[in-house]
Amino acid sequence: TSSATPPPPPLSVSKVLILKTPTGFLRVRDSASLGGNQIGQVLPDEKYDFISEQNGWFEIKLKDGKTGWVSGQYSKKE
């Protein structure tokens, strides 16, 4: 009898927590810069799946399955 190796544990998905902002919401942009077009808004205390990070911006997965970028100034990775 050969003993099968157990499957690897699932990768833990990091979350991005949206912090308090002066406007009460945080813009989600289509690129990792203030010049990116706004494609949505997220609210403080909401959490989103972390996709990637670039130049102080976090790429997150929105509730509708789209991805967008939020400023690291008003969000943090958990």
Side-chain angles (χ1 to χ4, degrees):
T1 60
S2 65
S3 61
T5 57
L11 295 172
S12 65
V13 177
S14 295
K15 295 283 187 183
V16 172
L17 173 67
I18 307 305
L19 304 175
K20 299 265 185 280
T21 69
T23 55
F25 63 87
L26 183 58
R27 290 178 176 87
V28 181
R29 300 188 184 272
D30 64 359
S31 63
S33 78
L34 288 174
N37 291 321
Q38 180 178 329
I39 58 170
Q41 294 178 353
V42 292
L43 301 174
D45 299 323
E46 291 182 339
K47 292 183 183 180
Y48 295 89
D49 288 344
F50 169 79
I51 308 294
S52 66
E53 187 173 347
Q54 183 181 319
N55 301 330
W57 290 72
F58 296 121
E59 186 180 13
I60 60 171
K61 184 172 185 180
L62 300 171
K63 308 266 191 268
D64 62 6
K66 293 181 189 163
T67 62
W69 295 86
V70 293
S71 170
Q73 186 178 355
Y74 296 109
S75 57
K76 69 176 184 181
K77 199 162 72 169
E78 297 196 311

